[in-house]
């Protein structure tokens, strides 16, 4: 009995008419519409009739408690779920989402699928359903990152679903749609007008979807129970059908007839073997015993038909499920699933995915550490090594020439500390470039602390030593109290040590209270540069703690004060024009460059914290620039001066100050042990002047000897002495006055000449002209006698002032050091000289 009209009333009437007016029926064959079939199947138990359907696929009929006498040769809609499970496992899809139309048929399939996937290590991450507009549900699926969508809807809704998928860009290489495969050929053409989607957009979204449906005919070439192969059956069917409409259930109907036949045959055999007096013709609707015999015989059915292996399990056909894929606007078979053997066969190279590989079941988030480029690290490390080599060369230069006057005056120990600080700063660059790609997480956390300590100590050591040198110059040349001030290198080392002690206190408190730790910052996902179906989530390592801002503020404040202190000292000593002592100009340049570069570097480094290569490059270049410029400004001028003019740095001109400085420091008298080089330089200048005066005295001494000889030979040369050698004698007295060094002390000869002008030498007192010639002291005889006695005395009188003989000695002293300098002439000689 077949019910071709999906009308419950007509179906029931036809069934009851057949029962009432027709002969006794052994079985009911048919039922296409689910509603009519389900009503009839539910009532068959009262007549002990077995029903076999070849077209009813509704999952509702699988309930054996409600429909115990119902069988079907066509697999139900739920039969595709084991096949889908096999497909998901084949491509390792463990996360799926469902999109279901609010119809009982589709809801039942979804519910059954949930039970099939339960416990199979496959997650249904989102379950969406819709009535008329699927776009909202599609959008939710995308929001939940569902990449494998299992759909259950009819053709009309399928058009709307794929239009929404196109709008949400849920198609292509990243998504896979699995929908029912029982749609009619070119099914979208009938419903395209009901949507707002263009046909090309719809086809683009549909490309690659996989349809799942039962196989109409077996693809095997084995002979069936009828003696024909499935291919032979299909050929004969098409020949007999002619131009009539084809149904995809014809094979199941054909196999259904053979199921009934084989069932009746087994029933007859059973009756013959158990009760030879009873036949199947004796069956009536109240004969429950024969009804159970038919039921058991139906369950035992097993043969190979044109649709494949015909086997029932709880009344459900264990058939073959096919997989088709929509490729270039047509359905292509890509595989099949055999429910009897639970095997999946994928036809070689038939399935084509939109990407180079099957889609992922979710967005694969691959965390990628943003690390420092190895070539960049190598380049900056090479620059750092060059800087350290330069610093080592400066250190060698400083140690080798430590006894040179120029280097001694520039405090070589402090210079060594400046170099040490620079090398520590250079060394920190190697540590800043080590990240998770080079070291482990634990090592990286240790490096966070080590590199901070090294850079901080290096900065303080270099600039602390430089500022300590400048402070000593400031303390010496600003000493207006004229006190003897001794500032040794040990005191400067103590100043630098104090600065380092402050650093250590800050760093130790930082480490104990709130130590630096490794933190990982995650950024927004980015597409894979290689085009793979994954998303890259960049992560970046940082060295941070809870109160990072406070600790950095303390360190920056301290370093800023140190920098301001250095600027103050450099400004105060800007007028001390002794290059060997004063580095104020270079310190000012260093502070300016370092300050500007640190401000720029800190700002750029903060803005590029998500770009480790840029950040490391900026930090490294700032450290290299600051360290290099500081070392070069301190040592290059000294190196050039030492090579070109080593004495220029210690000449007297270095003690020339501006007019304001002269007025301020005119009374300064400093004897500083730590700057003995400066005193030595001044002493050498005075000795040079003394040597020049001694040379002049030697010349005058020759002139005196010549005058003495002339006077002894020709007394008439007195006039020559008076007129031509007065200036020479005056020069001698002036020299005596210059070498004295005390403002209140006058030379005896100079006093005498001031009291007796030379103009009186040639004159005679008229009152004396009438006296005895013997009493005339200016007579040639008296003059010659006095000169012969007094000139040697006069000669010895000025020699002590230049390191010669003492005036109290009868003969020249042995050495200049044997005679005290600045000694007065004895009074007895003063009288004799005054007589001259």
């Amino acid at each position: 009995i077949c019910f071709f009209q999906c009308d419950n009333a007509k179906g029931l009437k036809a069934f009851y008419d057949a029962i009432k007016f027709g002969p006794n029926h052994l079985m009911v064959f048919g039922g296409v519409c689910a509603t009519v079939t389900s009503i009839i199947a539910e009532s068959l138990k009262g007549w002990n009739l077995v029903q076999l359907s070849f077209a009813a696929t509704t999952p509702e009929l699988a309930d054996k408690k409600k429909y115990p006498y119902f069988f079907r040769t066509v697999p139900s809609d739920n039969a595709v779920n084991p096949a889908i499970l096999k497909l998901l496992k084949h491509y390792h899809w463990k996360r799926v989402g469902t999109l279901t139309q609010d119809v009982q048929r589709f809801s039942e399939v979804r519910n059954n699928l949930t039970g099939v996937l339960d416990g199979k290590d496959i997650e249904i991450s989102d379950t969406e359903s819709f009535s008329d507009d699927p776009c909202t549900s599609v959008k939710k699926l995308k929001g939940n990152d569902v990449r494998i969508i299992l759909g259950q809807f009819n053709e009309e809704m399928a058009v709307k679903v794929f239009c929404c998928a196109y709008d949400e860009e849920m198609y292509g290489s990243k998504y896979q749609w699995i929908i029912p495969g029982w749609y009619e050929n070119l099914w979208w053409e009938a419903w395209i007008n009901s949507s707002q989607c263009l046909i090309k957009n719809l086809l683009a979204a549909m490309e690659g979807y996989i349809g799942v449906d039962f196989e109409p005919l077996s693809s095997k070439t084995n002979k069936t129970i009828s003696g024909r192969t499935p291919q032979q059956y299909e050929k004969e069917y098409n020949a007999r059908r002619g131009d009539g409409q084809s149904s995809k259930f014809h094979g199941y109907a054909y196999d259904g007839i053979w199921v009934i036949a084989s069932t009746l045959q087994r029933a007859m055999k059973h009756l013959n073997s158990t009760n030879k007096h009873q036949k199947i013709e004796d069956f009536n609707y109240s004969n429950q015993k024969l009804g159970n015999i038919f039921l058991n015989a139906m369950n035992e059915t097993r043969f190979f038909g044109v649709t494949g292996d015909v086997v029932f399990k709880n009344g459900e056909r264990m058939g073959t499920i096919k997989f088709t894929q929509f490729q270039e606007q047509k359905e292509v078979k890509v595989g099949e699933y055999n429910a009897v053997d639970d095997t999946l066969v994928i036809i070689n190279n038939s399935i084509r995915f939109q990407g180079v590989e099957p889609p992922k079941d979710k967005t694969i988030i691959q965390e990628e550490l943003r690390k420092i480029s190895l070539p960049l690290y190598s380049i900056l490390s090479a620059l750092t090594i060059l800087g350290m080599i330069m610093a080592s060369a400066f250190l060698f230069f400083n140690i080798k020439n430590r006894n040179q006057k120029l280097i001694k005056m520039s405090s070589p120990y402090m210079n060594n500390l400046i170099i040490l600080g620079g090398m520590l700063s250079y060394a920190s660059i190697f540590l800043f470039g080590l990240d998770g790609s080079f070291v482990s997480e634990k090592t990286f956390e240790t490096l966070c602390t080590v590199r901070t300590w090294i850079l901080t100590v290096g900065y303080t050591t270099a600039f602390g030593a430089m500022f300590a040198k400048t402070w000593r110059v400031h303390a010496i040349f600003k000493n207006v109290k004229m006190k003897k001030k001794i500032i040794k290198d040990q005191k400067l080392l103590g100043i630098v040590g104090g600065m380092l002690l402050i650093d250590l206190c800050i760093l130790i408190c930082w480490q104990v209270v709130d130590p630096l730790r490794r933190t990982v910052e995650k950024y927004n996902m980015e597409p894979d540069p290689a085009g793979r179906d994954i998303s890259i989530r960049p992560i970046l390592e940082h060295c941070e703690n809870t109160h990072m801002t406070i600790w950095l503020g303390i360190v920056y404040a301290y370093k800023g004060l140190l920098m301001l202190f250095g600027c103050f000292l450099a400004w105060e000593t800007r007028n001390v024009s002794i290059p060997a002592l004063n580095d104020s100009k270079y310190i000012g340049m260093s502070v300016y460059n370092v300050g500007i570069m640190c401000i720029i570097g800190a700002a750029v480094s903060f803005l590029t914290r998500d770009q480790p290569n840029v950040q490391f490059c900026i930090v490294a270049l700032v450290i290299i620039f600051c360290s290099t410029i500081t070392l070069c400004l301190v040592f290059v001028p000294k190196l050039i001066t030492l090579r070109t003019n080593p004495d220029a740095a210690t000449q007297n001109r270095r003690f020339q100050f501006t007019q304001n400085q002269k007025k301020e420091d005119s009374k300064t008298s400093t004897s500083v042990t730590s700057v003995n080089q400066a005193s030595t330089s001044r002493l050498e200048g005075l000795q040079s002047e003394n040597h020049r005066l001694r040379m002049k005295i030697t010349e005058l001494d020759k002139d005196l000897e010549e005058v003495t000889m002339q006077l002894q030979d020709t007394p008439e040369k007195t006039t020559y002495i008076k007129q031509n050698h007065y200036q020479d004698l005056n020069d001698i007295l002036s020299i005596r006055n210059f070498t004295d060094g005390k403002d209140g002390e006058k030379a005896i000869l100079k006093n005498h000449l001031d009291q007796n002008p030379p103009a009186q030498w040639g004159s005679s007192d008229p009152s004396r002209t009438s006296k005895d010639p013997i009493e005339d002291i200016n007579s040639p005889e008296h003059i010659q006698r006095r000169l012969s006695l007094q000139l040697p005395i006069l000669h010895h009188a000025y020699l002590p002032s230049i390191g010669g003989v003492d005036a109290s000695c009868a003969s020249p002293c042995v050495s200049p050091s044997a005679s005290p300098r600045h000694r007065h002439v004895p009074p007895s000689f003063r009288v004799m000289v005054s007589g001259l």
Side-chain angles (χ1 to χ4, degrees):
I1 302 174
C2 297
F3 308 105
F4 293 103
Q5 298 182 11
C6 295
D7 189 320
N8 295 342
K10 292 182 180 180
L12 283 175
K13 184 179 184 302
F15 174 70
Y16 284 119
D17 288 344
I19 294 295
K20 182 177 181 181
F21 301 107
N24 289 337
H25 300 286
L26 300 178
M27 294 181 184
V28 177
F29 181 63
V32 177
C33 293
T35 55
V36 177
T37 304
S38 61
I39 293 174
I40 295 175
E42 190 174 2
S43 61
L44 290 177
K45 186 177 180 181
W47 284 278
N48 295 311
L49 285 174
V50 176
Q51 181 181 5
L52 180 64
S53 174
F54 59 88
T57 60
T58 177
E60 181 185 3
L61 297 172
D63 187 359
K64 299 297 3 182
K65 292 182 179 181
K66 191 175 182 180
Y67 311 105
Y69 285 83
F70 179 79
F71 290 83
R72 50 188 167 190
T73 56
V74 62
S76 72
D77 293 336
N78 286 342
V80 301
N81 290 334
I84 292 175
L85 172 62
K86 204 71 174 181
L87 182 68
L88 296 178
K89 287 187 174 181
H90 180 77
Y91 289 108
H92 307 288
W93 291 327
K94 297 183 179 181
R95 185 174 182 270
V96 299
T98 62
L99 181 63
T100 309
Q101 184 181 354
D102 285 335
V103 175
Q104 183 179 3
R105 174 185 179 183
F106 302 124
S107 299
E108 290 176 353
V109 175
R110 180 196 61 194
N111 295 337
N112 180 263
L113 176 64
T114 303
V116 170
L117 298 182
D118 185 28
K120 303 299 182 180
D121 197 24
I122 295 179
E123 173 194 1
I124 300 179
S125 60
D126 192 12
T127 299
E128 297 293 334
S129 61
F130 64 94
S131 297
D132 185 62
D133 184 11
C135 291
T136 302
S137 299
V138 171
K139 187 178 296 185
K140 289 181 179 179
L141 289 173
K142 182 179 181 181
N144 290 326
D145 190 34
V146 176
R147 309 286 290 276
I148 310 299
I149 304 100
L150 308 179
Q152 286 292 329
F153 34 75
N154 58 27
E155 296 96 323
E156 181 183 3
M157 291 297 106
V159 172
K160 295 182 179 180
V161 167
F162 283 111
C163 286
C164 296
Y166 180 85
D167 294 336
E168 296 295 331
E169 297 183 349
M170 291 183 65
Y171 65 95
S173 61
K174 295 183 179 181
Y175 295 90
Q176 183 60 60
W177 289 84
I178 301 176
I179 64 174
W182 43 261
Y183 299 161
E184 295 292 336
N185 190 29
L186 302 177
W187 55 268
W188 62 90
E189 294 181 353
W191 305 100
I192 186 62
N193 295 329
S194 64
S195 66
Q196 303 296 326
C197 188
L198 298 177
I199 185 64
K200 64 176 183 179
N201 297 341
L202 176 63
L203 294 175
M206 290 168 53
E207 184 68 23
Y209 79 74
I210 294 177
V212 186
D213 193 16
F214 55 83
E215 183 72 271
L217 293 174
S218 175
S219 59
K220 295 181 180 180
T221 59
N222 299 340
K223 286 186 177 183
T224 65
I225 192 173
S226 64
R228 301 181 182 90
T229 63
Q231 293 77 20
Q232 292 172 343
Y233 161 79
E234 183 179 18
K235 183 178 180 181
E236 185 177 353
Y237 168 78
N238 290 331
R240 294 189 179 189
R241 178 175 60 86
D243 296 334
Q245 186 178 2
S246 174
S247 172
K248 66 178 183 179
F249 297 105
H250 65 86
Y252 293 98
Y254 181 79
D255 283 342
I257 299 299
W258 284 100
V259 169
I260 293 174
S262 61
T263 299
L264 294 176
Q265 185 179 16
R266 279 191 298 274
M268 292 171 62
K269 289 182 179 180
H270 178 74
L271 291 174
N272 292 332
S273 62
T274 58
N275 189 355
K276 297 181 181 180
H277 301 287
Q278 189 173 15
K279 300 179 182 180
I280 60 173
E281 291 86 351
D282 298 333
F283 172 77
N284 56 51
Y285 301 128
S286 61
N287 191 338
Q288 187 176 4
K289 183 178 181 181
L290 281 176
N292 290 332
I293 291 175
F294 293 151
L295 183 62
N296 293 332
M298 184 75 74
N299 279 324
E300 294 174 359
T301 301
R302 185 182 184 94
F303 62 86
F304 180 73
V306 294
T307 58
D309 292 325
V310 180
V311 180
F312 296 106
K313 182 178 180 181
N314 295 326
E316 293 295 308
R317 167 73 185 273
M318 303 293 290
T320 302
I321 305 299
K322 70 172 181 177
F323 293 96
T324 60
Q325 187 178 36
F326 188 74
Q327 299 177 2
E328 298 178 356
Q329 303 184 26
K330 62 181 180 179
E331 300 279 352
V332 178
K333 183 179 178 180
V334 295
E336 64 178 30
Y337 167 76
N338 191 328
V340 177
D341 301 331
D342 191 27
T343 57
L344 174 67
V345 177
I346 300 297
I347 301 175
N348 294 334
N349 301 323
S350 60
I351 191 166
R352 296 187 305 186
F353 295 104
Q354 302 300 300
V356 295
E357 59 182 356
K360 305 298 181 181
D361 57 3
K362 61 181 178 179
T363 300
I364 303 299
I365 301 175
Q366 180 176 333
E367 291 187 348
E368 184 176 275
L369 177 65
R370 285 186 174 176
K371 54 188 179 181
I372 295 173
S373 172
L374 183 59
L376 177 63
Y377 182 75
S378 301
I379 293 173
L380 293 176
S381 297
L383 292 177
T384 303
I385 292 174
L386 291 177
M388 298 184 76
I389 293 174
M390 180 195 69
S392 301
F394 287 149
L395 181 63
F396 175 77
F397 165 78
N398 192 68
I399 295 176
K400 180 181 179 182
N401 299 282
R402 62 185 181 277
N403 294 323
Q404 292 287 339
K405 188 183 303 181
L406 175 65
I407 304 301
K408 276 187 176 181
M409 295 177 68
S410 66
S411 302
Y413 293 113
M414 293 297 102
N415 292 341
N416 291 341
L417 287 182
I418 294 174
I419 297 172
L420 177 61
M423 296 187 75
L424 287 176
S425 299
Y426 280 129
S428 67
I429 296 177
F430 297 110
L431 303 182
F432 276 105
L434 296 177
D435 54 17
S437 60
F438 297 100
V439 297
S440 62
E441 294 181 4
K442 186 176 181 181
T443 305
F444 180 83
E445 192 166 292
T446 303
L447 290 177
C448 290
T449 302
V450 174
R451 68 190 188 187
T452 303
W453 282 56
I454 289 179
L455 183 60
T456 303
V457 172
Y459 176 90
T460 302
T461 302
F463 281 90
M466 188 184 301
F467 296 158
K469 286 175 50 180
T470 310
W471 172 81
R472 179 165 66 182
V473 176
H474 175 270
I476 293 172
F477 287 92
K478 293 296 180 178
N479 181 26
V480 297
K481 296 182 180 181
M482 300 180 62
K483 292 183 178 180
K484 185 175 182 180
K485 201 172 187 67
I486 300 176
I487 303 177
K488 297 183 178 180
D489 283 345
Q490 288 80 353
K491 189 170 185 179
L492 301 186
L493 291 173
I495 294 174
V496 178
M499 295 179 182
L500 291 175
L501 183 62
I502 296 175
D503 268 340
L504 292 178
C505 291
I506 295 175
L507 293 173
I508 291 174
C509 292
W510 189 349
Q511 182 65 23
V512 173
V513 177
D514 193 11
L516 289 171
R517 301 188 183 279
R518 175 185 179 269
T519 60
V520 176
E521 183 177 2
K522 297 183 179 182
Y523 295 89
N524 295 330
M525 291 185 294
E526 300 175 353
D528 180 43
R532 296 175 298 174
D533 186 19
I534 61 174
S535 294
I536 304 299
R537 183 185 293 278
I539 62 173
L540 189 59
E541 295 175 312
H542 295 294
C543 293
E544 293 180 348
N545 52 15
T546 306
H547 305 288
M548 190 72 175
T549 305
I550 297 176
W551 294 108
L552 288 179
I554 294 174
V555 173
Y556 289 159
Y558 171 55
K559 301 303 179 184
L561 291 175
L562 182 62
M563 194 79 73
L564 291 176
F565 177 66
C567 292
F568 168 76
L569 294 178
W571 176 260
E572 285 292 304
T573 59
R574 67 190 185 279
N575 294 319
V576 180
S577 57
I578 309 175
L581 289 175
N582 185 25
D583 293 328
S584 61
K585 179 174 69 173
Y586 304 124
I587 292 175
M589 295 173 63
S590 296
V591 171
Y592 174 79
N593 287 283
V594 171
I596 295 297
M597 290 301 298
C598 287
I599 293 174
I600 296 175
V604 175
S605 176
F606 178 78
L607 295 176
T608 59
R609 59 180 282 123
D610 59 337
Q611 303 177 39
N613 285 323
V614 178
Q615 186 182 44
F616 172 64
C617 184
I618 294 298
V619 171
L621 290 179
V622 167
I623 295 176
I624 291 174
F625 177 82
C626 294
S627 301
T628 303
I629 199 68
T630 300
L631 293 176
C632 289
L633 286 174
V634 171
F635 290 99
V636 169
K638 294 178 175 57
L639 190 148
I640 295 175
T641 303
L642 192 63
R643 295 298 182 188
T644 57
N645 190 7
D647 296 330
T650 57
Q651 292 298 320
N652 246 2
R653 61 180 179 84
R654 296 192 176 183
F655 289 89
Q656 297 175 355
F657 306 108
T658 60
Q659 294 299 324
N660 294 333
Q661 190 72 17
K662 285 182 179 180
K663 292 179 181 180
E664 184 179 353
D665 300 336
S666 59
K667 296 182 179 182
T668 302
S669 176
T670 308
S671 176
V672 185
T673 304
S674 59
V675 288
N676 285 333
Q677 295 84 355
S679 301
T680 304
S681 176
R682 185 173 185 179
L683 179 61
E684 289 180 355
L686 294 175
Q687 288 177 349
S688 177
E689 183 67 18
N690 190 12
H691 177 71
R692 185 184 64 81
L693 294 176
R694 289 176 63 185
M695 294 298 293
K696 185 173 182 180
I697 289 174
T698 302
E699 294 177 358
L700 293 176
D701 188 34
K702 293 180 180 179
D703 292 341
L704 285 175
E705 293 293 337
E706 183 180 353
V707 169
T708 302
M709 295 300 296
Q710 291 177 355
L711 288 176
Q712 290 176 355
D713 296 338
T714 58
E716 292 81 2
K717 298 296 183 65
T718 303
T719 305
Y720 171 80
I721 296 174
K722 294 178 182 179
Q723 296 178 356
N724 296 328
H725 289 273
Y726 171 74
Q727 184 62 37
D728 294 336
L729 293 175
N730 196 24
D731 291 340
I732 295 174
L733 297 177
S734 298
I735 293 171
R736 177 71 176 93
N737 184 41
F738 172 81
T739 56
D740 197 341
K742 295 183 180 180
D743 295 337
E745 187 176 346
K746 301 290 184 178
I748 303 304
L749 292 177
K750 187 68 169 59
N751 291 338
H752 177 75
L753 292 176
D754 290 341
Q755 296 173 3
N756 300 281
Q760 296 177 357
W761 280 34
S763 64
S764 59
D765 188 356
S767 61
R768 301 287 303 268
T769 57
S770 60
K771 293 183 180 182
D772 194 344
I774 300 175
E775 296 178 1
D776 189 1
I777 63 173
N778 292 325
S779 63
E781 294 80 3
H782 285 86
I783 290 174
Q784 182 176 6
R785 185 170 61 252
R786 286 199 299 271
L787 287 176
S788 62
L789 295 174
Q790 294 174 354
L791 283 176
I793 297 172
L794 180 63
H795 178 67
H796 291 290
Y798 65 79
L799 284 180
S801 64
I802 59 173
V805 298
D806 193 349
S808 62
C809 297
S811 62
C813 298
V814 178
S815 66
S817 61
S819 175
R821 301 180 65 181
H822 311 291
R823 176 173 293 179
H824 301 295
V825 179
S828 59
F829 291 117
R830 291 180 185 175
V831 174
M832 294 179 66
V833 174
S834 297
L836 177 62

